[in-house]
Amino acid sequence: MFGLLRRRPHERVGFELYGAAVAAARRPWAFAVLGVPDTLAGRFDLISLHVSLLIRRLRSDPDPRGAELGQAVFDAMFADMDVNLREMGVGDMSVGKRVKGLWEAWHGRMRAYETAIDSSDTAGIAAAVARNIYGGHTDATDAGPVALADFVIRAAALLATQPLAGFLAGQASFPETPA
């Protein structure tokens, strides 16, 4: 009985790290300066980008707690998506299906970003950003996707310099500005 009340490892820290990614994704410059659509989809995509960068960093840590933290961040994100869908009035019967759709969208985006980051392909990041965050309504060579691709490279580099101890304390830093 009491085992059911026990929290998963790193659950609290996962929510704190997820909160840091959400706060970074909600910085006004993304919408005002880079022209990211200020819509549910635009916000979801920016959060997905930041969470993907964070999970990528955590999974690359040689300490097994890094991967555990990455899973905790993932769990926090989709628990939050579930709550948000319910608050928006999505019926209980369709929440699971909607969350699954969001998971599939996030997973595809993460793979695209990760592949481009791992090969230092800034043009590939800009193409993924144009397709996902800008919904295909802008070209990958336009100023917004190019600046956001540069941000992604800088964010990945900044996250790589942060020690696991900081993440275990619920702290993650992203660049403050797009350039």
Side-chain angles (χ1 to χ4, degrees):
M1 170 76 179
F2 291 108
L4 295 174
L5 301 176
R6 200 172 311 142
R7 290 183 174 241
R8 292 182 297 251
H10 308 295
E11 183 176 6
R12 179 188 56 77
V13 175
F15 274 96
E16 291 172 358
L17 291 171
Y18 171 68
V22 169
R26 288 186 175 164
R27 291 189 177 130
W29 56 257
F31 306 99
V33 177
L34 301 184
V36 171
D38 193 3
T39 61
L40 285 174
R43 289 172 183 248
F44 169 76
D45 281 315
L46 272 183
I47 291 169
S48 294
L49 174 64
H50 284 76
V51 169
S52 294
L53 287 164
L54 181 57
I55 290 175
R56 176 182 175 274
R57 161 56 183 96
L58 293 168
R59 284 191 345 211
S60 71
D61 201 283
D63 188 317
R65 293 176 297 173
E68 293 169 6
L69 277 178
Q71 182 63 50
V73 172
F74 173 86
D75 293 345
M77 178 178 180
F78 285 95
D80 184 53
M81 295 296 158
D82 183 284
V83 168
N84 282 302
L85 286 171
R86 292 176 193 280
E87 287 177 353
M88 291 186 319
V90 174
D92 286 340
M93 299 300 288
S94 61
V95 167
K97 187 176 186 174
R98 297 281 295 273
V99 170
K100 182 181 177 188
L102 291 172
W103 177 87
E104 290 170 349
W106 176 82
H107 184 70
R109 286 158 171 75
M110 180 170 183
R111 287 182 39 201
Y113 297 136
E114 211 168 48
T115 300
I117 292 167
D118 290 346
S119 61
S120 300
D121 181 6
T122 306
I125 298 168
V129 162
R131 182 176 57 251
N132 297 318
I133 295 178
Y134 291 90
H137 301 295
T138 186
D139 191 71
T141 59
D142 289 347
V146 169
L148 201 48
D150 289 340
F151 170 83
V152 167
I153 295 295
R154 289 186 312 108
L158 178 61
L159 287 164
T161 66
Q162 296 171 47
L164 184 63
F167 295 124
L168 288 166
Q171 302 164 354
S173 297
F174 292 86
E176 293 290 327
T177 62

